[in-house]
Amino acid sequence: MLVAFLCVFIVVAAVQVAKPRLLWRVNRPLQKPFVKDYDATEPNRAGYRLERAVGVVVLAGAVIMLVVELT
């Protein structure tokens, strides 16, 4: 079960590193009850850069945990 969760984390982190706007578009409908203006909450370039940096850290951590779990 842990391996499956780590694989999901790896996929999500890889998407966040490669295309952070894709995750943002998927998240938009979930914000509907809380946000009046979607465009006002979308991150700017620095925000996307930070999302990519966090994605790299999560991706590295998940890959390391997966390797440790499988060995």
Side-chain angles (χ1 to χ4, degrees):
M1 188 70 170
L2 180 63
V3 173
F5 281 125
L6 289 173
C7 289
V8 170
F9 287 151
I10 289 171
V11 169
V12 171
V15 170
Q16 186 171 355
V17 170
K19 290 212 167 244
R21 288 179 193 236
L22 179 64
L23 289 179
W24 186 258
R25 285 189 207 123
V26 170
N27 189 34
R28 273 183 123 175
L30 299 175
Q31 296 180 10
K32 189 176 183 178
F34 308 107
V35 177
K36 292 180 183 176
D37 184 16
Y38 296 120
D39 295 327
T41 61
E42 186 171 359
N44 56 10
R45 284 184 180 208
Y48 283 124
R49 195 174 312 129
L50 183 61
E51 283 187 24
R52 282 192 170 110
V54 170
V56 167
V57 171
V58 171
L59 183 61
V63 167
I64 289 170
M65 286 188 279
L66 183 64
V67 168
V68 167
E69 185 67 28
L70 292 177
T71 57

